Amino acid sequence: MAAKNMRAEAPPVVLTLAGSDPSGGAGIQADILTLASLGCHPLSVITALTVQDSAGVHDLMVIDADWVNDQARLLMEDMPVAAFKVGLIGSVENVAVIAQLAADYPDIPLILDPVLASGGGDAFADEDLIGAMRDILLPHVTVLTPNSIEARRLGSNDPDEEDDLTLDESASRLLSLGAEYVLLTGTHENTTEVINTLYSTDGTARAQHWERLPGSYHGSGCTLASALAAILACGSPMLEAVDDAQEYTYQTLLNAYRPGMGQHIPDRMFWARETEENEQAP
């Protein structure tokens, strides 16, 4: 009897729009690894090309906005997308393209990791780009995932007041600009533990404390935002998704490795290596 041609059901599809990091530590490569690790099919629209390694960024070339738009629109007509994840945007024109895409698909959650600079401090956004993110993109954002530096910069209209803004004030301003939730990460704060806080438009704030790990990591923010997009795409409610995304990210950092001369890289496939080790154990 001939075997039936059994086709597997497609996993949830997530579209990530981000810059390319040839080191595989951050950017769209980190998104793809995270989304696949968490059971999603990743679609990848490249917004910028970089020359970088695990130590830092040496050059950046922004992709033309028409190319970004064409990449995304063709994919949207082909596959049902369950979530958007946005990272490095690169230009005001690309902000406009992504904002219009989100406006045309308002039922798809959009997770924005506002990449304003590299982990080594290389600038990825000027004031015009940041202003465009505030004015036309944040109103479409389901969850914004800034670190404390990004939160203060996005939440401030005056660079001179950035240092004076509290994290609560920054989050409140970002919510008033249109974001539905702000998951503000505290890695850069001078605290014994890392405190991540979820702020929402209903006025609640929910803090979670994590052990501060030694060393520095390349792509932790990309990992968190992509994990959140993946878990939401798989159907989890928001609070559960936020918890699970943080736990997953923490495990990737706990199992991070240092393949080059720069920062550690989160191990997005840590669970697969744990399985292999268990199978090989006597």
Side-chain angles (χ1 to χ4, degrees):
M1 181 177 177
K4 292 183 179 180
N5 185 13
M6 302 296 289
R7 298 284 184 181
E9 182 179 351
V13 176
V14 177
L15 173 58
T16 172
L17 302 101
S20 172
D21 173 7
S23 80
I28 211 155
Q29 287 84 350
D31 296 345
I32 291 169
L33 282 167
T34 301
L35 294 170
S37 176
L38 289 169
C40 292
H41 177 74
L43 306 180
S44 54
V45 171
I46 296 177
T47 58
L49 301 176
T50 66
V51 178
Q52 69 175 300
D53 55 19
S54 62
V57 178
H58 300 266
D59 208 349
L60 170 73
M61 183 179 78
V62 177
I63 301 298
D64 182 86
D66 287 340
W67 275 71
V68 173
N69 185 66
D70 289 349
Q71 288 179 79
R73 295 289 175 172
L74 194 64
L75 291 169
M76 295 302 296
E77 292 171 4
D78 183 41
M79 299 182 218
V81 170
F84 294 125
K85 185 271 174 182
V86 178
L88 189 156
I89 297 175
S91 69
V92 171
E93 293 78 10
N94 282 347
V95 173
V97 163
I98 295 169
Q100 188 58 58
L101 182 70
D104 290 344
Y105 296 92
D107 295 331
I108 299 176
L110 189 153
I111 315 306
L112 172 60
D113 174 21
V115 182
L116 307 182
S118 71
D122 308 282
F124 286 151
D126 59 18
E127 290 306 316
D128 288 341
L129 196 155
I130 291 171
M133 290 173 68
R134 286 195 199 104
D135 295 341
I136 65 175
L137 185 54
L138 283 186
H140 301 288
V141 170
T142 308
V143 189
L144 182 70
T145 62
N147 60 39
S148 56
I149 297 170
E150 294 162 342
R152 289 188 173 100
R153 191 172 179 197
L154 276 172
S156 172
N157 292 318
D158 181 359
D160 292 334
E161 73 167 355
E162 284 180 26
D163 293 339
D164 297 326
L165 274 182
T166 68
L167 296 185
D168 288 348
E169 289 171 337
S170 300
S172 178
R173 292 188 184 188
L174 295 170
L175 291 169
S176 71
L177 290 169
E180 189 175 347
Y181 294 90
V182 174
L183 176 56
L184 203 159
T185 60
T187 305
H188 295 280
E189 295 300 286
N190 187 24
T191 54
T192 303
E193 295 179 302
V194 173
I195 305 171
N196 298 339
T197 307
L198 179 69
Y199 300 85
S200 63
T201 49
D202 64 9
T204 61
R206 182 168 170 267
Q208 289 177 277
H209 296 241
W210 299 90
E211 178 188 359
R212 185 175 290 280
L213 301 174
S216 61
Y217 302 87
H218 185 46
S220 57
C222 307
T223 305
L224 176 62
S226 295
L228 184 52
I231 295 166
L232 288 172
C234 289
S236 292
M238 181 60 68
L239 295 183
E240 182 181 322
V242 168
D243 290 348
D244 290 349
Q246 290 183 81
E247 176 62 34
Y248 170 83
T249 302
Y250 178 75
Q251 291 299 324
T252 69
L253 300 179
L254 200 60
N255 290 277
Y257 49 87
R258 189 168 180 251
M261 295 182 289
Q263 294 177 300
H264 288 75
I265 290 178
D267 187 358
R268 287 101 186 179
M269 305 299 289
F270 67 88
W271 54 266
R273 276 175 262 282
E274 288 176 352
T275 301
E276 290 173 0
E277 289 174 1
N278 292 337
E279 290 176 349
Q280 293 171 5

